[in-house]
Amino acid sequence: MSPPFSLSTCPRCGCVDLSQSRTRGFLEQLLRAAGVGPRRCSACGWRGFRPDYLVARQRRSSPPKGGQGELTPAMLERQRKEHRMHRQYRRNLHARTKKWRRAQIVLAALVLGVAIGAAAGSCGG
């Protein structure tokens, strides 16, 4: 059974030990400036956004009770599967990007060749 949802806890494991995470890009910097920063759970590695004032309040309170941050074998297996899927996605994205760059280079060479041929034809005639 999943833990009850709260903005001051991790939605995956229910742990209250959320720490600040680095921003990734301009949009996340804007969100952090607005007071909604990226957070990471120290128990399960979940990353998401939580209002700054909730996390600061949790930091001043008592430490999390034992057992809240424990991972079950099923949760660990799910994390491993997600990690494998993410790595495969990144590999595929990299391959598609390389193909697209090659196509851009071929297209640029073709356009350059046509331009040079047109310039050479207009000079000789």
Side-chain angles (χ1 to χ4, degrees), residues 56-116:
R57 183 182 61 192
Q58 285 295 332
R59 198 172 291 136
R60 284 191 296 266
S61 65
S62 62
K65 296 181 177 84
Q68 280 186 328
E70 294 177 12
L71 294 174
T72 64
M75 291 172 75
L76 286 172
E77 185 57 36
R78 187 178 74 202
Q79 282 183 357
R80 288 186 191 109
K81 183 179 177 184
E82 289 174 358
H83 183 67
R84 283 192 301 266
M85 288 172 55
H86 181 69
R87 277 191 315 197
Q88 186 63 40
Y89 167 76
R90 296 297 296 175
R91 281 189 202 118
N92 291 342
L93 180 66
H94 182 67
R96 286 193 309 263
T97 303
K98 283 174 63 176
K99 288 177 185 175
W100 176 247
R101 286 185 185 146
R102 270 189 236 126
Q104 285 178 323
I105 290 170
V106 169
L107 182 63
L110 181 65
V111 168
L112 185 62
V114 168
I116 290 173

